[in-house]
Amino acid sequence: MKRFKAIWLLLLLLIPTFLLSGCESVTTRANTQDTWSRIERRKKVIVGLDDSFVPMGFRQKNGKLVGYDVDLARAVFKQYGIKVDFQPIDWSMKETELKNGTIDLLWNGYSVNPSRLKKVAFSRDYLANRQVLVTLKKSHINNLNDMTGKSLGVQTGSTGDTVLNSKPKLLKDKIKNKQAIMYDTFPNAFIDLNANRIQGILMDEVYANYYVKHQKNSSAYRVYKTKELPVEYFGVGMRKGDKTLKRKVNAGLNRLQKNGQLEKINEKWFGTKSSFLGPYNN
């Protein structure tokens, strides 16, 4: 009996070591392995996305996946004869999905910021964005201070979530219980906003403008932006080990800029003729 207890105790002590070793090997592989040859061989790259994020990647009523990032990703990989397979994921688990290899890229209005740069590699920036506060006009919330004591909605794992916690004086310290209501998707947050269960949503400007514009009662909403909420830039996220994939994505974006396709995609989704590409990241 004593021998059995000793063996069981030893196993209990060793299990955390095995688990830690497994985690370290997954992280090491993600940071060192270049998977371009595998992608090229199977002629397919897997992009992780939240398929309710308008206008970057979302489902039409017939179920078809469309969006700015969908068009852009397909245009980049068409140059290499590679098909893009879009995989809906839990956005709060996006970096884990990437590290584990279930997806190859995060290409879905994915903002570049210091905390994410520690976890993933980024392409060049390809679109400017900022966080905005969306409210109903009838609530008479005209600025961030007016959210004092009110309920705020935020998507889990979003840039809004990061901004809320990294700059608490802007909104977190003002809102009810100093705690936001967390949502898996923005459409669910809008349902609660319309029902007055929350009084504001902190979210991406590109999403807010597109969503509000396409509502029958679009005039009922206020999209409030301020210099207090930082400008950010979207990039394509990938594992740090995928150096060849990063070069291929950047080269593809550069060609789209030069041949005018980037401008056409911007005009299609945003009505602007921008062909912006930012500096190279990490």
Side-chain angles (χ1 to χ4, degrees):
M1 188 69 176
K2 289 182 178 179
R3 184 180 179 185
F4 175 78
K5 287 183 178 179
I7 293 172
W8 180 245
L9 180 60
L10 180 61
L11 286 173
L12 288 176
L13 292 171
L14 288 174
I15 285 172
T17 303
F18 290 144
L19 291 175
L20 181 60
S21 176
C23 291
E24 287 177 346
S25 64
V26 169
T27 301
T28 300
R29 185 167 62 248
N31 289 337
T32 59
Q33 189 175 47
D34 191 317
T35 66
W36 176 252
S37 59
R38 185 180 68 195
I39 292 169
E40 198 170 32
R41 188 166 54 251
R42 72 188 181 193
K43 297 293 181 183
K44 182 175 72 174
V45 65
I46 303 172
V47 170
L49 82 165
D50 165 9
D51 62 357
S52 67
F53 188 16
V54 297
M56 311 310 286
F58 62 101
R59 301 284 177 184
Q60 293 180 317
K61 290 182 180 180
N62 62 5
K64 182 181 179 182
L65 183 67
V66 298
Y68 177 88
D69 280 333
V70 172
D71 286 353
L72 194 58
R74 284 175 174 160
V76 165
F77 284 101
K78 184 179 179 180
Q79 300 171 43
Y80 304 111
I82 291 174
K83 178 187 175 183
V84 183
D85 186 1
F86 295 94
Q87 178 64 51
I89 59 173
D90 179 345
W91 198 243
S92 67
M93 296 293 291
K94 54 192 175 297
E95 286 89 4
T96 300
E97 296 277 14
L98 183 66
K99 182 174 68 175
N100 289 344
T102 52
I103 58 175
D104 299 309
L105 297 169
L106 289 165
W107 198 331
N108 189 218
Y110 188 44
S111 300
V112 182
N113 63 43
S115 64
R116 288 174 177 170
L117 281 166
K118 294 176 182 178
K119 303 173 186 177
V120 305
F122 275 96
S123 70
R124 295 183 68 177
D125 307 333
Y126 62 85
L127 193 68
N129 181 49
R130 71 164 64 240
Q131 293 299 295
V132 295
L133 177 67
V134 180
T135 63
L136 292 174
K137 289 181 180 177
K138 66 181 181 182
S139 67
H140 302 293
I141 296 171
N142 300 310
N143 53 54
L144 301 185
N145 287 330
D146 288 342
M147 281 298 296
T148 301
K150 304 290 196 304
S151 294
L152 177 74
V154 177
Q155 185 187 31
T156 303
S158 66
T159 302
D161 189 5
T162 301
V163 171
L164 185 72
N165 290 293
S166 63
K167 299 178 181 293
K169 291 183 180 179
L170 289 181
L171 266 175
K172 189 172 184 178
D173 291 349
K174 298 180 175 71
I175 59 178
K176 186 177 180 179
N177 299 325
K178 295 186 178 182
Q179 191 69 44
I181 309 299
M182 308 306 295
Y183 294 90
D184 291 336
T185 66
F186 284 123
N188 288 335
F190 270 97
I191 290 171
D192 279 1
L193 180 69
N194 293 331
N196 199 38
R197 287 188 284 268
I198 60 174
Q199 289 71 54
I201 306 173
L202 184 63
M203 60 189 301
D204 296 276
E205 183 179 19
V206 293
Y207 188 120
N209 288 342
Y210 190 92
Y211 186 93
V212 169
K213 181 181 177 181
H214 288 81
Q215 298 305 298
K216 291 181 179 178
N217 60 336
S218 60
S219 61
Y221 298 93
R222 173 177 286 108
V223 179
Y224 175 74
K225 60 182 179 180
T226 171
K227 291 181 180 179
E228 294 176 277
L229 295 171
V231 174
E232 60 204 27
Y233 296 91
F234 290 156
V236 185
M238 61 206 83
R239 291 177 289 271
K240 287 183 177 289
D242 275 320
K243 298 184 184 303
T244 305
L245 179 57
K246 179 177 175 177
R247 288 197 299 271
K248 296 291 184 179
V249 170
N250 280 332
L253 288 171
N254 292 343
R255 280 191 286 270
L256 294 181
Q257 183 187 54
K258 291 179 179 178
N259 67 22
Q261 279 186 272
L262 180 59
E263 186 176 289
K264 288 179 180 178
I265 294 172
N266 274 288
E267 189 171 14
K268 173 183 175 180
W269 288 103
F270 303 117
T272 64
K273 292 187 176 182
S274 170
S275 58
F276 164 81
L277 281 180
Y280 291 91
N281 286 301
N282 52 342

